[in-house]
Amino acid sequence: MTDLIVKAEQDDAGDSAEVGLFRVFESYMNANPQTIIIDPIENLKKLLLRHRQYHLIATSDACLHDKVFTPPFVRLIASDSSQMLRELRLAGVDFPVVCKAQEAHGSSDAHRMMIIFNADGLKSIKVPCVAQTFVNHDAVLYKVFVIGEKFHIVRRPSFENFYSFDLPPIAFDSQNITGSQWLEDIPVSRPPIAASSVPDVPAVALDPEIVTSIVKGVRKQFGLSLIGIDLIVDKTTGHYAIIDVNAFPSYDGVTDFFPHLLSHIEMIVWQRDRHLSANHHSVHLKQPTGLKPTARIISNDLNPAIARS
């Protein structure tokens, strides 16, 4: 759905197949207001453009915690590398930087990224894009898969720490960060660096209370319940960096995803029916067994000792 929304939003003429499908969907929803929408379209739109998404993350309750932040970022429009460098400095974005397409959904380009280590590498950037400071994080990316009030954490491989700025740009697909899956079609040099596998023992154990506050803050800011939050832990400070939020992610690695999804839908239906019964002064509806409207971890691959249900 997010890909459809992106393409419909980009069609100024309004005559594409995507716009037609989107209008059919909107017409159906207008004609059937009783239909339950898990995540409203207007809220999904908040995720589509990365610079807007990052601004919302940075101003969310999640980043009120003194150990949570989103790395400095800036939207680059000018193709002149000197102007890019000035904009990076004004925004406090330091090398190395990760350059990402401004659209976070809608095409394969949304996942194509590039790490730039110095001013000379800016010549390889395709604008418009969003540039964000790269944070050393011991080669581990934490995928937080949110299903309503519950979430599941999975560790994924990422880039090893960088300590040199004398490197050529690295182009990669964020969905396939492995040593054999670089974007060879992008005309940049490939350095003798490969993404590592996930360490057997993480350098740090995530604090479940901090992750829970992140989930609550991000959900509140975007008004969404089925999302993926990409987290890394700053090697230097130990602080948690939110680097992306995705609508309805793959949920790859989430045990019993569909039962948890059905449980979430059951809760939404119960809340809708309770609201309707209250308006009509009907009898009180019993809350579904086992469903509690509080954030909780459904599983955690990092440390079994902190997993709870």
Side-chain angles (χ1 to χ4, degrees):
M1 176 58 77
T2 52
D3 292 351
L4 179 64
I5 296 171
V6 170
K7 292 176 181 177
E9 290 278 299
Q10 292 175 339
D11 183 8
D12 296 330
D15 57 359
S16 68
E18 287 79 14
V19 171
L21 287 172
F22 192 64
R23 285 175 177 168
V24 169
F25 176 78
E26 287 186 314
S27 296
Y28 175 84
M29 296 309 303
N30 290 333
N32 299 274
Q34 76 282 2
T35 302
I36 295 176
I37 300 179
I38 296 178
D39 284 335
I41 298 297
E42 289 305 312
N43 293 351
L44 287 172
K45 289 180 180 180
K46 298 177 184 178
L47 294 177
L48 302 185
L49 296 177
R50 278 197 169 95
H51 63 279
R52 183 188 182 198
Q53 178 192 134
Y54 293 168
H55 174 74
L56 289 171
I57 293 172
T59 56
S60 71
D61 287 355
C63 288
L64 292 177
H65 195 289
D66 59 2
K67 291 187 177 181
V68 180
F69 71 106
T70 190
F73 64 93
V74 65
R75 185 188 183 202
L76 298 178
I77 301 175
S79 58
D80 177 68
S81 59
S82 297
Q83 178 63 27
M84 289 183 191
L85 187 60
R86 286 192 290 271
E87 292 177 1
L88 291 173
R89 288 172 175 169
L90 285 173
V93 180
D94 299 322
F95 290 112
V97 299
V98 184
C99 294
K100 314 175 185 182
Q102 65 175 351
E103 291 85 11
H105 298 81
S107 72
S108 59
D109 286 345
H111 307 290
R112 295 191 174 206
M113 303 182 184
M114 191 178 295
I115 301 178
I116 305 296
F117 296 90
N118 47 56
D120 190 58
L122 295 174
K123 299 173 184 177
S124 302
I125 294 177
K126 179 181 178 181
V127 293
C129 70
V130 175
Q132 187 173 47
T133 298
F134 178 90
V135 176
N136 281 337
H137 51 282
D138 284 330
V140 178
L141 170 69
Y142 299 96
K143 306 286 290 189
V144 183
F145 293 115
V146 181
I147 311 171
E149 305 294 344
K150 307 172 186 177
F151 61 88
H152 179 110
I153 304 171
V154 176
R155 283 190 296 134
R156 295 281 173 81
S158 186
F159 289 99
E160 296 181 3
N161 301 325
F162 294 113
Y163 296 104
S164 172
F165 296 96
D166 188 24
L167 293 170
I170 298 176
F172 65 98
D173 186 315
S174 63
Q175 293 185 317
N176 299 296
I177 303 182
T178 66
S180 62
Q181 294 171 308
W182 299 79
L183 295 179
E184 301 292 354
D185 57 322
I186 292 184
V188 295
S189 301
R190 176 180 173 180
I193 300 173
S196 72
S197 59
V198 179
D200 292 334
V201 179
V204 296
L206 292 186
D207 184 329
E209 293 186 3
I210 294 179
V211 178
T212 298
S213 70
I214 289 173
V215 171
K216 287 182 176 180
V218 171
R219 281 201 58 201
K220 177 183 177 182
Q221 182 75 317
F222 291 98
L224 300 171
S225 61
L226 298 176
I227 54 175
I229 304 171
D230 289 354
L231 291 181
I232 56 176
V233 178
D234 188 323
K235 176 178 175 59
T236 303
T237 65
H239 293 178
Y240 296 57
I242 305 172
I243 58 173
D244 263 314
V245 177
N246 303 292
F248 200 76
S250 67
Y251 290 100
D252 184 29
V254 178
T255 305
D256 297 326
F257 165 67
F258 283 105
H260 289 298
L261 176 61
L262 291 175
S263 176
H264 174 53
I265 294 173
E266 185 179 9
M267 172 61 78
I268 292 175
V269 173
W270 174 78
Q271 291 175 335
R272 190 277 309 269
D273 291 346
R274 184 181 65 169
H275 176 73
L276 292 176
S277 64
N279 288 342
H280 292 85
H281 305 289
S282 302
V283 297
H284 176 71
L285 297 175
K286 184 178 180 181
Q287 182 173 346
T289 303
L291 299 179
K292 300 177 181 179
T294 56
R296 57 191 180 124
I297 301 173
I298 55 176
S299 80
N300 188 314
D301 292 344
L302 306 177
N303 183 351
I306 67 172
R308 59 179 183 264
S309 60

